[in-house]
Amino acid sequence: MVLPIVAYGDPVLRKKAKPITKDYPKLDELIDNMKETMYGAYGVGLAAPQIGLPIRLFLVDTAPFAEDDVFTEEEQDALKKFQRTFINAEIIEEEGDEWAFNEGCLSIPDVREDVFRQPKVTIKYQDEAFNEHTETFDGLIARVVQHEYDHIEGILFTDKLSSLKKRLIKGKLANISKGKIKVDYRMRFPLQKKKR
Ligand code: NI
């Protein structure tokens, strides 16, 4: 089932998400629904707060990036295969000199801005079977993991912009909260006036 994606301005996107246990109700179904929602919106990642749940769960699938020919064949291959479910993730370390990449977010449609992040991230998490992993990612995969991880910490990419950039997109963000935007996937807007 495709779930509505929560838009910018909803308080759930600002919560530090809570860890979950194996007994979390209907977890498999939730993960399946989140996958369907992410693929339906052509996203490369989706975090539980974006479907209204403040829990430490996010998905990453970088396959859509593999189509982009700015990447080498080897990079494209890695992007095509990269698919993970991260449960109870905690970043252990970020390393390297920050680099800029033009980010977007399913909760903030039509806004894309360069965001600076470190290129390498080491993260501890549990998979769908609650097996523990610690992995280090770099490049674009690290980028997507960092963006999704921010969601479970209540952080959005727009928080990382300069104050000038923030001022420039303020009106656009306000319109998104009110639902004054055209978007081709299901969304839930916090400040949308109810239709009678
Ligand atoms: Ni996002």
Side-chain angles (χ1 to χ4, degrees):
M1 187 175 68
V2 172
L3 307 166
I5 294 174
V6 166
Y8 183 93
D10 194 307
V12 73
L13 295 175
R14 292 311 193 176
K15 286 190 181 141
K16 188 176 158 77
K18 295 271 191 314
I20 56 168
T21 61
K22 268 184 198 162
D23 330 310
Y24 191 86
K26 295 184 177 172
L27 183 59
D28 292 341
E29 193 183 320
L30 171 64
I31 293 170
D32 283 348
N33 288 342
M34 281 178 65
K35 283 181 185 168
E36 204 179 326
T37 304
M38 175 175 75
Y39 295 130
Y42 301 100
V44 290
L46 184 70
Q50 294 183 276
I51 48 107
L53 295 174
I55 56 172
R56 299 186 81 79
L57 162 64
F58 62 88
L59 315 173
V60 174
D61 186 331
T62 55
F65 279 142
E67 309 299 315
D68 200 328
D69 51 23
V70 300
F71 304 112
T72 66
E73 223 168 280
E74 199 183 327
E75 286 169 330
Q76 286 182 337
D77 211 43
L79 291 167
K80 209 179 289 174
K81 285 185 210 146
F82 191 80
Q83 192 185 359
R84 293 274 195 295
T85 298
F86 292 86
I87 297 173
N88 300 331
E90 294 293 341
I91 284 183
I92 295 177
E93 196 179 23
E94 288 175 291
E95 295 161 85
D97 295 332
E98 292 192 340
W99 66 295
F101 182 79
N102 204 248
E103 292 188 23
C105 180
L106 293 176
S107 294
I108 318 174
D110 270 359
V111 175
R112 298 200 68 92
E113 294 291 345
D114 279 354
V115 177
F116 285 86
R117 297 186 191 270
Q118 287 179 283
K120 203 167 164 186
V121 63
T122 300
I123 191 166
K124 189 177 87 180
Y125 68 96
Q126 288 156 333
D127 61 23
E128 290 175 35
F130 279 81
N131 294 316
E132 288 264 3
H133 300 269
T134 300
E135 282 190 282
T136 300
F137 303 115
D138 56 20
L140 204 49
I141 289 173
R143 170 71 55 164
V144 181
V145 169
Q146 288 161 319
H147 177 115
E148 297 310 323
Y149 182 84
D150 274 354
H151 275 300
I152 63 167
E153 292 288 303
I155 299 165
L156 299 170
F157 82 89
T158 47
D159 300 345
K160 299 185 177 278
L161 305 176
S162 68
S163 46
L164 172 66
K165 272 279 163 57
K166 278 182 191 155
R167 238 176 303 146
L168 290 173
I169 62 167
K170 211 177 161 188
K172 224 171 170 181
L173 294 177
N175 281 339
I176 292 171
S177 302
K178 292 176 199 152
K180 290 181 180 170
I181 183 142
K182 274 193 89 172
V183 60
D184 51 12
Y185 46 88
R186 271 181 88 192
M187 286 197 87
R188 193 176 90 199
F189 304 98
L191 300 177
Q192 190 168 41
K193 297 229 168 67
K194 297 269 183 306
K195 286 189 189 110
R196 291 160 166 270

